[in-house]
Amino acid sequence: MPATARRIAFVAPSGVLADGIAERAARFFAARGWQVQAGESCFAGDTRFAGPDELRLRELQGYATDRHVDVVLAARGGYGLSRLLDRLDFEPIRAAGRIVVGFSDFTAFNLAYLARAGGISFQGPSAADFAADEPDPFTVEQFFAALGNGEHAVRFDGEGPDCELRGTLWGGNLAMVAALAGTPYLPRVRGGILFLEDVNEPAYRVERMLYQLHHAGVLRRCRAVLLGAFAPVPPQPTDRGFDLTAVVARLRSLIAAPVIAGLPFGHVPRKLTLPVGARAHLRVRGGAATLAFAGHPTLPP
């Protein structure tokens, strides 16, 4: 294998993995000439977690500070990173400058890393996305483009008002963003572009979490809010027509910042790779949206 081969490490800091995910994802990257390491957490289990807290903590800290690794990729989400936040040492992670990518529950790391050390990491696909029989081509293309280019832009159909603005791109899973409100692990971003997604949350719970961010002053500081996928949104017997459309309308009535729906991101096969903490430029004209970002870690030449 060439000496210049990229090196990627899989780690599972949250939920236990289904059998075969690490192996199939490893084959995906190996076929592209990458060297692959998979932590013990990718094969361990401790109730719902991918091994004991100490194992998951040691591997995440270790790989994220290993200068022989180019990319650290969370194998899946689930729940578990909240148990590790107060023991992660974020300054050495920033000093090492590794590319760290995760999704869903990994939002806890992304936001804490930005809040505690000013570090930029990525919300994007997990190893499980690359373990699919046919990984989504858009997801694969965007992953390598975001990690390989110092400036990157994506176009999508955006439902919302025309606007053009710049700010810090940040966000992730709505439940995790809301859970970190009032803690030292939620960055105090002013004038940012907040992106949100979630899955399997009834409409009223989505609205309740948005109200939590509103009451905490988080939404007031945003220049724009981007909404990704939320499906499925389980209907409730007491909804009586209350749905996600009503939630979005309510959000727009609460804040002055533009709310743009349709971001290709979430618990869906087709998703962007987005740098949490990077500089971003959002432009929406007649339903055509462009999101550009720069200043994020990239792969060496």
Side-chain angles (χ1 to χ4, degrees), residues 173-176 196-201 206 209 229-232 266-267:
N173 178 257
L174 172 59
M176 291 309 306
L196 299 168
E197 63 80 31
D198 219 312
V199 65
N200 287 325
E201 295 285 3
V206 173
M209 289 186 284
F230 284 78
H267 283 72

Side-chain angles (χ1 to χ4, degrees), residues 221-299:
R221 296 191 292 269
C222 294
R223 296 208 67 198
V225 176
L226 297 176
L227 299 178
F230 284 78
V233 181
Q236 304 297 296
T238 53
D239 280 343
R240 299 174 180 266
F242 183 76
D243 58 11
L244 190 63
T245 300
V247 172
V248 175
R250 187 69 172 184
L251 175 60
R252 286 174 170 150
S253 75
L254 287 175
I255 62 175
V259 176
I260 310 299
L263 184 72
F265 183 74
H267 283 72
V268 288
R270 186 176 186 267
K271 61 170 66 73
L272 291 168
T273 297
L274 299 171
V276 177
R279 304 187 307 273
H281 177 197
L282 173 67
R283 185 178 188 272
V284 182
R285 291 289 184 273
T290 301
L291 178 65
F293 50 80
H296 53 282
T298 56
L299 291 166

